[in-house]
Amino acid sequence: MASHSESIIREPLITGKDITYAQITNDVLRPVENMPGKAWWIGFSVASLGAMLWVFAISWTFWFGLGEWGLNKTVGWAWDITGFVWWVGIGHAGTLISAVLLLFRQNWRNSINRSAEAMTIFAVICAATYIAAHMGRPWMAVYSLPLPNQYGSLWVNWNSPLIWDVFAISTYFSVSLVFWYTGLLPDIATIRDRAEGIRRKIYSVLSFGWTGSVKTWQRFETVSLILAGVSTPLVLSVHTIVSMDFATSLEPGWHTTIFPPYFVAGAIFSGFAMVQTLLLIARKVLGLENYITMFHIESMNKIIMLTGSIVGVAYLTELFIAFYSQNEYEQYAFANRISGPYWWAYWSMMTCNVITPQLFWFKKIRTNIPLSWVLSIVVNIGMWFERFVIIVTSLHRDFIPSSWAMFYPTWVDVSVFIGSIGVFFTMFLLFIRVLPSVAMAEVKLLLKSSSEQAKKKLMAEGHVEPAEAEFYIASLEKFDSVDQSEYLKA
Amino acid sequence: MSSTKYILGVFDDPDEMMHGIDKLQKNSVPIYDVYTPMPIHGIEAKLNVKDSRLGYAAFMFGCLGGSIMFTMVYYMLVHDWPMNIGGKNAFAIPDFVPVTFEWTILWTSFGMTFTFFFATHLFPGRTPRVMDLRATDDKFVIAIDAKGNIPHDDITNLLKEAGATEVKHNTRKYVSYE
């Protein structure tokens, strides 16, 4: 602890004066230990209405069959797979924040990883429901597993990307869950030791008997690091495999080698946008501004800008390869996307994903909370359109013009999608009420090195050369949002 | 005879707690354990805690998971039910890669995490054996086995000198059984 210090010129990760370890616990556990406020109830009511719509629409689908969706002979995949890929993509930011940023020792992840991981779990659940639903007969889902059966030597087809998908998504969900829950143990123990009565009993069961002894912490950190190490290639593989569902087919518009990296970049892009959408609201409603600071918001906006640019390059690469391949079917697929009957979807995608995130080049925009929130939603809309464009516009006009058709969603399609958003938000809102939305133990780790008060203390005690102090204050003026007058006093 | 079982030095600050460990060690007072609300880096070396071997467990489980999946796919796709798809080879190794990779990761994660739970005696519903309830919140606690140790008052003084805000003489090992 004593040996760990951080450069004075780095921006503080915890703002606010006189923050103590106890205050971090109190601040983070306020929504868990107290009755929820009006904002939570309003959000929860709206989200549960959405969830109820989902239950109704999915029940309708199961009762009457997939004929209730707008699918037809030509367009056999539409809103369902669009929703699936969208949700899986959203899930990716959680693992990325937990794993990749941990490996790169990016301490700013500590304040946001818990919510992002929870988001991953809920998003993958939403994605999985789509997969189960689009089978039409979800009780047959068991046949996607290589289980011994009574039909002789009948096994799943291991050559099929759809089977790879089953393994990728189920592994991703299981590993994310283990990573998330293991990380929660110390914080659940904190709740347990402050709770009384029945709550204490429940959290006692959930905490697995955590005590926080030295050896446990040491092993815990080893486990976290190795889980991060294995989750990093995992997260890249999952969306790569999802993209192979398309890329290994011969369908014009799908059969492209750019898909794996393009899907992964898109997933990170939409995932960070959803983290931003959730956390900008949560930090305000839960009063976590000191822990999820402008620095965090700005960092996430920078990642959105970077991945948005990568996605933009991928779109252009697709177009170039279609032209360069001299494959007329491929060329037509792209001409059809740009100027065919679904041109509005293509251009919505281009506007939302390529043009709008470029606004984050401006510091004033990426440090503006309302604008960041609006742009994060724009990105999510754009990413939904991206999946819609890939899936529907490629399918609706295939090799044989006599089979060309249009896809129009029915009310069931729309309700399942809107409902899945309701399910997601219901789960997230319940999560912030029962579990700490910020990883307390990890944030406490930063208090002595990366908090505003730690840096001010260093300066006040004269451990910093005057030139360095001046540079620090100047850099804050340039990059940060913390009130400068506080530093001048120190 | 004293009924004290454990002496706890409760610190507000992790640096002072580290100072307390130094002081106790200088006076040859054996430390039973240290409980903190967050990981303290550098404490393992001070307390001579050996490196965790969970990495080896992770590697072994990963190898096992990958081998099982590869064998399973080989058995099903090549041996038990070879399909003639356009005359292509049934033993299509590139197609084995995604699922083998996924199971390597799955077994690594689950195997290592369950080994961690097993080794640290963590499992759902286990009674929390906490010596001080605040050790998971905002206090840093050094626990010293009182039995056969130097005069308890000396330990108390050492801890206080190091900056302990409170020194407790617990007559029970754990407080969270209630």
Side-chain angles (χ1 to χ4, degrees):
Chain A
M1 195 72 205
S3 60
H4 179 79
S5 60
E6 199 175 77
S7 166
I8 189 80
I9 58 169
R10 299 203 72 162
E11 289 161 71
L13 297 174
I14 302 171
T15 56
K17 279 193 287 183
D18 308 325
I19 306 260
T20 58
Y21 294 111
Q23 197 189 329
I24 293 176
T25 317
N26 289 337
D27 285 348
V28 174
L29 292 186
R30 196 173 300 120
V32 179
E33 293 177 338
N34 297 292
M35 286 302 283
K38 208 195 264 176
W40 186 88
W41 278 115
I42 294 171
F44 186 70
S45 309
V46 175
S48 3
L49 277 177
M52 279 191 264
L53 179 66
W54 181 84
V55 171
F56 179 72
I58 278 287
S59 309
W60 187 278
T61 303
F62 290 166
W63 191 258
F64 293 106
L66 284 191
E68 294 301 312
W69 290 1
L71 305 175
N72 53 51
K73 257 190 189 168
T74 309
V75 187
W77 278 3
W79 274 47
D80 48 339
I81 303 299
T82 303
F84 161 71
V85 184
W86 189 69
W87 278 120
V88 172
I90 283 172
H92 277 48
T95 320
L96 212 85
I97 290 169
S98 313
V100 182
L101 297 184
L102 176 67
L103 290 182
F104 284 115
R105 305 282 182 207
Q106 291 295 306
N107 286 335
W108 61 272
R109 68 177 271 289
N110 292 17
S111 303
I112 55 171
N113 67 344
R114 175 67 46 73
S115 307
E117 285 167 33
M119 183 197 80
T120 293
I121 308 281
F122 306 144
V124 177
I125 290 173
C126 288
T129 60
Y130 265 112
I131 286 295
H134 103 297
M135 289 177 176
R137 285 174 285 177
W139 49 95
M140 299 289 188
V142 70
Y143 286 124
S144 62
L145 301 174
L147 297 172
N149 54 67
Q150 299 171 355
Y151 303 106
S153 296
L154 179 66
W155 301 109
V156 294
N157 183 6
W158 296 100
N159 297 310
S160 162
L162 295 180
I163 285 302
W164 307 345
D165 224 10
V166 170
F167 280 81
I169 301 293
S170 54
T171 300
Y172 183 50
F173 179 72
S174 322
V175 172
S176 302
L177 195 66
V178 164
F179 200 1
W180 180 63
Y181 200 80
T182 312
L184 264 168
L185 288 177
D187 290 356
I188 295 178
T190 309
I191 308 177
R192 174 198 72 201
D193 291 340
R194 287 159 62 99
E196 277 174 3
I198 184 79
R199 285 185 76 245
R200 183 171 201 178
K201 283 200 175 116
I202 294 169
Y203 284 108
S204 186
V205 171
L206 296 176
S207 72
F208 286 24
W210 179 274
T211 58
S213 74
V214 170
K215 188 78 194 172
T216 314
W217 273 121
Q218 185 219 29
R219 287 174 174 154
F220 174 85
E221 289 217 295
T222 307
V223 166
S224 303
L225 201 62
I226 297 174
L227 278 177
V230 295
S231 299
T232 304
L234 176 69
V235 77
L236 301 180
S237 82
V238 171
H239 230 55
T240 297
I241 291 175
V242 169
S243 82
M244 284 174 182
D245 293 347
F246 304 96
T248 55
S249 76
L250 296 175
E251 192 74 28
W254 286 2
H255 189 55
T256 53
T257 48
I258 188 73
F259 263 25
Y262 155 34
F263 267 49
V264 171
I268 299 165
F269 182 49
S270 60
F272 268 92
M274 188 57 100
V275 174
Q276 197 76 289
T277 309
L278 290 173
L279 287 186
L280 286 176
I281 300 286
R283 75 191 277 274
K284 184 82 192 156
V285 174
L286 306 178
L288 295 170
E289 286 99 334
N290 281 336
Y291 310 104
I292 302 167
T293 65
M294 187 52 82
F295 177 70
H296 293 91
I297 297 167
E298 205 183 339
S299 300
M300 285 194 280
N301 280 339
K302 284 176 185 170
I303 292 180
I304 292 173
M305 183 174 73
L306 172 73
T307 46
S309 306
I310 296 174
V311 167
V313 170
Y315 294 159
L316 298 180
T317 308
E318 271 193 321
L319 290 177
F320 173 72
I321 294 299
F323 152 75
Y324 195 63
S325 68
Q326 289 296 301
N327 179 330
E328 59 180 310
Y329 299 105
E330 191 75 11
Q331 287 174 345
Y332 178 76
F334 281 90
N336 182 48
R337 277 185 194 177
I338 296 168
S339 56
Y342 290 110
W343 64 270
W344 48 271
Y346 184 82
W347 290 108
S348 302
M349 166 190 101
M350 277 297 202
T351 314
C352 297
N353 290 351
V354 184
I355 299 164
T356 25
Q358 298 306 319
L359 291 172
F360 284 138
W361 282 103
F362 301 101
K363 186 179 164 64
K364 276 202 172 145
I365 294 178
R366 66 171 186 265
T367 52
N368 182 311
I369 292 175
L371 265 180
S372 296
W373 192 73
V374 170
L375 286 178
S376 75
I377 291 177
V378 168
V379 168
N380 276 314
I381 293 171
M383 284 309 290
W384 187 88
F385 272 115
E386 180 196 295
R387 276 72 193 246
F388 178 82
V389 165
I390 291 171
I391 293 160
V392 175
T393 65
S394 300
L395 277 180
H396 89 119
R397 286 184 177 175
D398 58 6
F399 293 104
I400 312 163
S402 61
S403 69
W404 287 4
M406 289 293 288
F407 166 78
Y408 300 103
T410 63
W411 68 267
V412 186
D413 279 308
V414 180
S415 305
V416 171
F417 177 64
I418 294 172
S420 73
I421 297 174
V423 170
F424 175 79
F425 279 100
T426 306
M427 287 192 282
F428 190 81
L429 286 165
L430 286 175
F431 154 73
I432 58 173
R433 285 278 302 121
V434 294
L435 292 168
S437 48
V438 169
M440 288 184 286
E442 294 185 40
V443 169
K444 283 174 189 166
L445 198 59
L446 302 174
L447 186 63
K448 290 209 81 171
S449 56
S450 313
S451 68
E452 190 181 342
Q453 70 196 44
K455 295 193 178 221
K456 270 196 268 180
K457 195 170 161 233
L458 264 181
M459 284 162 69
E461 286 173 0
H463 297 306
V464 183
E465 295 291 319
E468 274 184 340
E470 221 167 88
F471 182 80
Y472 178 53
I473 293 166
S475 75
L476 284 175
E477 269 165 27
K478 207 167 159 194
F479 299 115
D480 207 8
S481 58
V482 180
D483 185 8
Q484 307 306 312
S485 57
E486 291 296 325
Y487 288 92
L488 295 174
K489 272 183 231 161
Chain B
M1 191 183 151
S2 161
S3 61
T4 305
K5 273 197 174 160
Y6 284 87
I7 300 171
L8 305 185
V10 182
F11 293 81
D12 281 348
D13 187 283
D15 288 337
E16 282 166 2
M17 182 200 68
M18 294 290 253
H19 186 49
I21 295 173
D22 286 339
K23 255 193 157 16
L24 291 169
Q25 285 177 336
K26 214 173 267 172
N27 288 279
S28 307
V29 179
I31 293 166
Y32 173 74
D33 210 339
V34 176
Y35 300 91
T36 56
M38 64 203 201
I40 307 290
H41 297 151
I43 198 169
E44 297 93 344
K46 244 185 224 307
L47 293 175
N48 287 325
V49 176
K50 278 188 204 155
D51 281 348
S52 166
R53 288 170 297 169
L54 282 166
Y56 298 109
F59 180 74
M60 299 311 287
F61 277 110
C63 291
L64 189 65
S67 311
I68 289 175
M69 184 48 110
F70 196 88
T71 313
M72 198 163 89
V73 178
Y74 181 84
Y75 170 74
M76 293 175 184
L77 202 64
V78 183
H79 179 76
D80 200 36
W81 195 31
M83 284 178 286
N84 188 342
I85 303 168
K88 285 177 188 160
N89 193 356
F91 189 33
I93 296 177
D95 290 357
F96 287 31
V97 172
V99 280
T100 307
F101 172 80
E102 296 298 329
W103 261 36
T104 308
I105 302 283
L106 186 75
W107 281 62
T108 304
S109 312
F110 273 75
M112 175 190 55
T113 311
F114 285 127
T115 310
F116 162 64
F117 289 157
F118 181 77
T120 26
H121 310 289
L122 295 171
F123 55 86
R126 182 175 191 252
T127 312
R129 292 171 175 166
V130 182
M131 288 198 178
D132 188 300
L133 291 177
R134 296 164 302 169
T136 51
D137 185 351
D138 62 333
K139 301 291 180 196
F140 302 81
V141 176
I142 304 177
I144 299 141
D145 195 344
K147 216 160 102 186
N149 226 320
I150 61 166
H152 296 174
D153 288 344
D154 292 357
I155 297 176
T156 308
N157 289 337
L158 281 172
L159 289 168
K160 286 237 159 115
E161 276 169 33
T165 47
E166 202 180 317
V167 178
K168 287 165 72 178
H169 289 229
N170 278 11
T171 51
R172 292 178 64 181
K173 189 169 179 183
Y174 306 117
V175 295
S176 58
Y177 271 122
E178 292 87 359

